[in-house]
Amino acid sequence: MTGKFLETMVTPAVRAAQEKYFGRAPAGPTSPAPAVLTDAEMEFIRARDSFYLGTISESGWPYIQHRGGPAGFLQVMSPQQLAFADVKGNRQLLSTGNVAANDRVCLFLMDYPQRTRLKILGRAQVLAAREQPQLATTVAPPEWRA
């Protein structure tokens, strides 16, 4: 997955900055196949009790929001699909509105004690629990199902 992430994020402007400040721009990896999570990455995700969700507003500004719950609340549905139940917070719905306008997201998962992290780029969609009750039951931790 690292190769696909770097392939996406190391743009010509990033390469120019690398050359300007470090005198070189390392050759970037190419990953022709779609990115899939490795077994180690899926285990890392299942062990997390929080992550940061980055979205992009319609005005082009990034927005980062913390999401938390019991370990495993961010569920691995497949090596290419994650899901989580979102509970009502401050009712601003900034991430929800942003995803409706631009489905590109970045998830940043941290293991602070081990000083490790996982960055995931992807596309998101918001599905209403009322419209997807089976999915809501599947992804919501038992204490959230009410």
Side-chain angles (χ1 to χ4, degrees), residues 42-101:
M42 289 187 282
E43 283 306 309
F44 184 85
I45 292 166
R46 290 181 183 113
R48 304 282 60 82
D49 64 359
S50 72
F51 68 94
Y52 299 93
L53 173 65
T55 59
I56 303 167
S57 73
E58 288 179 277
S59 58
W61 290 99
Y63 178 72
I64 300 170
Q65 181 68 48
H66 177 264
R67 293 289 189 261
F73 84 100
L74 178 58
Q75 294 189 24
V76 178
M77 307 303 279
S78 76
Q80 290 184 295
Q81 188 176 45
L82 304 174
F84 67 97
D86 203 11
V87 297
K88 78 179 154 183
N90 60 15
R91 298 179 183 226
Q92 290 179 337
L93 299 173
L94 296 174
S95 297
T96 300
N98 289 348
V99 167

Side-chain angles (χ1 to χ4, degrees), residues 1-2 4-5 8-9 35-38 41-42 44-46 48 51-54 74-76 78-82 104-109 117-123:
M1 184 131 171
T2 302
K4 195 63 164 177
F5 181 89
T8 302
M9 298 307 292
V36 296
L37 295 166
T38 66
E41 290 166 336
M42 289 187 282
F44 184 85
I45 292 166
R46 290 181 183 113
R48 304 282 60 82
F51 68 94
Y52 299 93
L53 173 65
L74 178 58
Q75 294 189 24
V76 178
S78 76
Q80 290 184 295
Q81 188 176 45
L82 304 174
R104 290 181 180 179
V105 297
C106 181
L107 281 66
F108 193 92
L109 294 81
R117 67 191 185 283
L118 178 62
K119 301 172 194 174
I120 300 172
L121 299 175
R123 296 189 179 269

